[in-house]
Amino acid sequence: MKLLVTAFGPFGGRSRNASSLALAGLKQRLPWLNTRILPVDSVVAPRRMSRALREVRPDAVLMLGEAGGSGAIRLETLAWNELDFRMPDSAGRQPQGLCIDPSAAQSIASTLPSGEIRACLLECGHACEISSDPGRYLCNQILFHTLRVVEKHHPHAKAGFIHLPLESDYPTTRAVDALARAVALIVRCREA
Ligand code: PCA
């Protein structure tokens, strides 16, 4: 079972991103994971993801990012074919009102077992909700991109996205615990 887990680097004026902090902790606990940190750059991030998919050829891809404004871990079930950046990416690009790919569907569903992951996290005392709105920034873009590449080139693989609260709202050790449980569940589902 090969699992690729990605996180994003800092953006939006913060010096750290909860997703890369949590990914570092997760990698310490589960050294067999394939991990990558992606930049908040709308051209470089999809390229790096495509390269990671070619290199790892994963059975499952778990993408992580941070989202302010919520104290709950959010399991994203949909990616939207839209680029509507609320702030520039790290290279200063700010596409607004654009499609990611005019020839593609309006939205694509993630393929990780969100309901099971949510139930497991709630049972373990985590704040967790299902979301169909990953925003229209880099996290949505990378989820959309990855689901399409996986559909085309790795059709056996599952992929999905988890938005973590900011570090100040959900301590890294708690986030790592939640992610380790999500990973265990993904592995169980893939091996069942
Ligand atoms: N969150 C942003 C991009 C990178 C990240 O961690 C988002 O929600 O799109």
Side-chain angles (χ1 to χ4, degrees):
M1 164 85 193
K2 280 187 285 179
L3 184 54
L4 172 63
V5 190
T6 67
F8 277 103
F11 73 106
R14 283 184 294 279
S15 60
R16 290 135 66 100
N17 186 318
S19 68
S20 39
L21 298 175
L23 183 58
L26 188 66
K27 174 83 176 160
Q28 260 182 358
R29 269 171 71 165
L30 306 172
W32 57 271
L33 292 175
N34 296 280
T35 60
R36 300 284 191 280
I37 304 287
L38 305 173
V40 181
D41 179 312
S42 66
V43 171
V44 178
R47 280 194 200 140
R48 294 246 175 105
M49 178 59 91
S50 293
R51 192 167 77 205
L53 292 169
R54 283 195 304 275
E55 287 168 356
V56 175
R57 308 191 65 75
D59 301 295
V61 189
L62 176 59
M63 289 155 271
L64 308 174
E66 71 172 11
S70 165
I73 292 168
R74 270 172 33 201
L75 308 176
E76 304 294 352
T77 55
L78 281 182
W80 296 89
N81 188 2
E82 286 172 37
L83 296 172
D84 199 21
F85 288 8
R86 60 196 149 82
M87 66 176 92
D89 73 359
S90 64
R93 296 179 205 93
Q94 191 169 8
Q96 288 184 316
L98 296 180
C99 275
I100 297 175
D101 180 348
S103 69
Q106 194 190 355
S107 64
I108 311 185
S110 85
T111 48
L112 288 181
S114 310
E116 282 97 325
I117 295 174
R118 177 172 175 271
C120 163
L121 295 190
L122 288 178
E123 204 174 292
C124 300
H126 288 283
C128 179
E129 52 196 40
I130 302 271
S131 158
S132 57
D133 183 5
R136 299 294 185 273
Y137 194 48
L138 256 295
C139 292
N140 174 65
Q141 188 192 348
I142 207 69
L143 178 57
F144 191 86
H145 172 79
T146 305
L147 287 168
R148 291 193 76 209
V149 175
V150 163
E151 200 174 40
K152 195 162 173 210
H153 298 291
H154 312 273
H156 68 285
K158 305 282 181 204
F161 197 100
I162 295 183
H163 258 131
L164 296 170
L166 300 184
E167 193 189 352
S168 50
D169 293 330
Y170 220 85
T172 303
T173 48
R174 293 280 296 142
V176 171
D177 177 73
L179 293 176
R181 291 176 196 277
V183 164
L185 203 138
I186 292 165
V187 171
R188 270 206 306 282
C189 287
R190 292 302 285 155
E191 288 177 346

